[in-house]
């Protein structure tokens, strides 16, 4: 043992001179705040340390993870103004995924030591919890299909392709089906359900792509872009994405309809 005290001590970094370690110590803290772009007003949703917020498609609900203790996470759902909070699940390690098109059902992921990772689907009030064990690799995300009958699952198999793969798991049961392993990871299901917006973030083909669920084709939409988020407009006629810079973040909107982009991205 090399550190003592209340802790937790995290991210140990060796001193370049070889005489010790740097560690980050102490309890993290922060607020989860909603900002209304029309009224320019902010409202705190969670006063405790919270992370991974995911907003429903209609903007009325948000799910998020709190970290009440070093080895424990909790998944919560609240209205976007912070009201009607419901604790959905406590676990060792949790991650938010996505909302279904009905803005009531949601998906999230969990991991516990010695067990395969799990995908969960549940109502915003905690009802109807269903669990899927995942034994094919590391989970990255789980998105609802447009008809809410299946999940699109991003997976990283340690022995598989570097870009990862996307699978479809029917909620009626049965084995998952691999859809693609060369189109990056899916970030958004476009309205109508015929296309997935995907991203390739490494290698010589970085950019935003679309995957045709019917034709099983992968088409570049915005080449050369690396983003940490893709959001489809509710009318299905555009999508937005954020590009980090050295000192700020720029959000772009790209017109899109029926599998084709229109014009150049607008800031």
């Amino acid at each position: 043992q090399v550190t003592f005290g209340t802790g937790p001590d995290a991210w140990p970094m060796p001193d370049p001179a070889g005489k010790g370690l740097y560690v980050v110590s102490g309890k993290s803290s922060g607020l989860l705040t909603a900002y209304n772009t029309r009224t320019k007003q902010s409202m705190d949703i969670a006063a405790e340390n919270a992370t991974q917020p995911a907003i429903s498609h209609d903007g009325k609900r948000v799910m998020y993870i709190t970290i009440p203790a070093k080895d424990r996470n909790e998944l919560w759902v609240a209205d976007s103004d912070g009201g009607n909070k419901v604790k959905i699940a406590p676990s060792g390690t949790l991650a938010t995924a996505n909302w279904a098109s009905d803005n009531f059902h949601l998906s999230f992921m969990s991991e516990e030591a010695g067990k395969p990772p799990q995908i969960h689907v549940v109502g915003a009030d905690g009802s109807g919890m269903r669990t899927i064990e995942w034994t094919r690799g590391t989970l990255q995300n789980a998105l609802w299909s447009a008809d809410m009958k299946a999940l699109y699952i991003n997976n990283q198999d340690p022995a598989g392709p570097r870009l990862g793969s996307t699978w479809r798991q029917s909620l009626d049961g049965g084995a998952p089906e691999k859809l693609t392993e060369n189109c990056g990871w899916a970030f958004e299901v476009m309205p109508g359900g015929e296309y997935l917006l995907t991203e390739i973030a490494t290698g010589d083909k970085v950019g935003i792509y679309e995957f045709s669920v019917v034709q099983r084709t992968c088409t570049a939409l915005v080449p050369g872009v690396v983003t940490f988020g893709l959001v489809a407009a509710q009318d299905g006629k555009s999508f937005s994405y954020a590009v980090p810079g050295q000192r700020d973040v720029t959000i772009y909107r790209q017109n899109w309809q029926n599998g084709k982009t229109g014009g150049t991205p607008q800031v």
Side-chain angles (χ1 to χ4, degrees):
Q1 184 175 356
V2 296
T3 65
F4 299 86
T6 57
D9 299 329
W11 297 291
M13 297 166 282
D15 181 346
K19 297 181 178 180
L21 294 172
Y22 291 100
V23 297
V24 178
S25 184
K27 183 178 180 180
S28 58
S29 63
L31 298 174
L32 178 60
T33 302
Y35 176 71
N36 189 311
T37 59
R38 293 184 176 87
T39 65
K40 311 300 182 184
Q41 294 179 334
S42 298
M43 182 171 295
D44 292 338
I45 297 175
E48 63 268 55
N49 191 24
T51 186
Q52 298 183 46
I55 303 171
S56 60
H57 302 288
D58 62 3
K60 295 182 178 180
R61 289 189 173 105
V62 59
M63 60 171 152
Y64 57 93
I65 304 291
T66 62
I67 312 171
K70 179 181 178 181
D71 299 318
R72 189 165 123 252
N73 297 168
E74 294 177 351
L75 176 73
W76 289 78
V77 169
D79 293 345
S80 56
D81 62 2
N84 297 317
K85 294 180 182 178
V86 178
K87 183 166 69 172
I88 302 296
S91 181
T93 302
L94 296 172
T96 58
N98 288 84
W99 289 87
S101 57
D102 66 354
N103 299 300
F104 177 74
H105 289 88
L106 56 99
S107 57
F108 68 98
M109 301 170 289
S110 68
E111 289 188 14
E112 292 188 36
K115 297 181 180 180
Q118 295 181 327
I119 306 166
H120 310 270
V121 295
V122 65
D125 59 359
S127 63
M129 178 84 73
R130 299 173 61 184
T131 298
I132 301 168
E133 280 200 348
W134 190 254
T135 58
R136 286 165 173 78
T138 301
L139 290 169
Q140 191 272 338
N141 203 358
L143 300 85
W144 292 80
S145 63
D147 59 10
M148 295 179 53
K149 293 182 179 180
L151 294 176
Y152 295 110
I153 300 169
N154 292 336
N155 176 69
Q156 182 63 64
D157 184 341
R162 183 179 58 177
L163 296 179
S165 56
T166 301
W167 300 62
R168 178 164 54 191
Q169 171 67 62
S170 171
L171 293 179
D172 292 332
E177 173 193 11
K178 183 187 287 188
L179 297 179
T180 176
E181 58 182 21
N182 62 6
C183 202
W185 276 334
F187 273 80
E188 187 74 288
V189 180
M190 297 303 285
E194 297 179 10
Y195 297 95
L196 308 180
L197 289 185
T198 71
E199 180 193 14
I200 296 178
T202 61
D204 56 0
K205 295 182 179 180
V206 297
I208 299 171
Y209 291 74
E210 69 178 14
F211 177 75
S212 171
V213 177
V214 176
Q215 299 178 355
R216 305 295 174 91
T217 55
C218 183
T219 304
L221 298 180
V222 189
V225 167
V226 176
T227 178
F228 51 76
L230 287 165
V231 179
Q234 291 191 52
D235 61 7
K237 295 182 179 180
S238 66
F239 61 87
S240 299
Y241 59 94
V243 178
Q246 291 185 346
R247 298 184 179 180
D248 54 18
V249 174
T250 304
I251 298 177
Y252 295 87
R253 177 184 288 114
Q254 171 66 63
N255 290 331
W256 179 97
Q257 197 165 2
N258 299 323
K260 298 184 182 299
T261 56
T264 57
Q266 300 298 308
V267 175

